[in-house]
Amino acid sequence: MPHDIAAASAFLPPAAAQALLDRRAAVRARVDGAARAAGRDPAGVTLVAVSKYHPAASVAALAAAGQRDFGENYVQEALRKQAEVADMTGMGPDAAPEMAMAGGATPRWHFIGHLQSNKAKDVVGRFALIHTVDSESVARKLDQRLAILPAQGAGGVAPMQDILLQVNIGDEEQKSGVDPDDLPALAEAVLALPRLRLLGLMCMPPIFDDGEASRPYFARLRELRDALSARVGLPLPHLSMGMSHDVEVAVAEGATIVRVGTDIFGPRPARL
Ligand SMILES: *Cc1c(COP(=O)(O)O)cnc(C)c1O
């Protein structure tokens, strides 16, 4: 895509745009290589560029160069950045529920931060996928909010929200995520809510320097997904796992969505 750098340079100085595109390409190559090594189709792994703390101009530059998926952790920062990117690029957020990788570079936003019940109303309909539902109360709040949103499109389609359930895979006291033992009950409660579409599971293992150390956690998430899928009779196709330091291991263990910040954008600046 030789025109990429020209498109990205509309938003960043050319050298910075080139460096950003090069880092993104290197991460994509790592993901693709890990997929092929595992006998998987690289197109089956979505790369979410985690832009928390990074400016809208960097998102706009990547989006102009064809990067589709972006992840944010903090509701206010995310909504502000979505509006800034839409202003800069003329491309509004694409909250279309399908995870299919259609053409075009309209940013598709993912919410990957801890979601409090009182913020649920602010995220509904503004993110293609919410990765971090971890309680029935948050799920209910999302569903209630969807009920009062206007129907979309010519056919008057009732709005739906695609979600993943975040699992506290490392059994860590401080971490968000549902306890693996409570996952089936939470999934069944979510499946009873008419406006949420459950597509899979997400996890964030305890941080290690060595990406290989994440492997048992990723394998466990896949096993939990397989068991849950059999139990509820739904495919639950997505596993959101893998970050800068362990993305190859995640892909080897079946990730369909990886979330990479530092290795694409560089070290995070002070919080915006
Ligand atoms: C920040 C963050 C990432 C990206 O982490 P890096 O190590 O910068 O790649 C991925 N997932 C979640 C949930 C995050 O909060």
Side-chain angles (χ1 to χ4, degrees), residues 50 52 73 112 202 204 243-245 259-263 268:
V50 176
K52 62 169 177 259
N73 289 62
I112 64 170
M202 176 270 202
M204 201 153 78
M243 302 167 41
S244 291
H245 71 290
R259 312 176 309 264
V260 177
T262 307
D263 283 0
R268 278 183 276 281

Side-chain angles (χ1 to χ4, degrees), residues 30-31 34 203-215 217-218 241-253 255 258-260 263:
R30 284 165 59 196
V31 169
C203 77
M204 201 153 78
I207 302 289
F208 296 100
D209 293 335
D210 173 15
E212 217 21 76
S214 298
R215 189 181 295 275
Y217 298 99
F218 293 152
M241 56 192 196
M243 302 167 41
S244 291
H245 71 290
D246 56 13
V247 72
E248 292 93 343
V249 178
V251 171
E253 293 298 330
V258 294
R259 312 176 309 264
V260 177
D263 283 0

Side-chain angles (χ1 to χ4, degrees), residues 65-136:
Q67 169 66 28
R68 185 98 197 273
D69 292 271
F70 294 91
E72 286 283 336
N73 289 62
Y74 304 98
V75 176
Q76 300 315 320
E77 181 190 339
L79 299 185
R80 188 173 62 233
K81 209 175 294 179
Q82 287 181 351
E84 287 171 8
V85 172
D87 274 357
M88 287 175 167
T89 62
M91 300 184 290
D94 179 3
E98 305 78 27
M99 287 297 294
M101 293 300 287
T106 307
R108 192 163 49 190
W109 294 90
H110 296 246
F111 189 78
I112 64 170
H114 177 61
L115 187 54
Q116 292 156 318
S117 295
N118 64 345
K119 293 282 173 63
K121 64 181 186 329
D122 300 324
V123 298
V124 156
R126 292 189 157 115
F127 294 86
L129 184 64
I130 298 173
H131 293 224
T132 49
V133 174
D134 66 356
S135 74
E136 193 176 336

Side-chain angles (χ1 to χ4, degrees), residues 17-32:
Q18 186 69 63
L20 184 59
L21 265 56
D22 288 349
R23 283 195 303 265
R24 188 264 176 203
V27 171
R28 188 66 241 189
R30 284 165 59 196
V31 169
D32 291 357

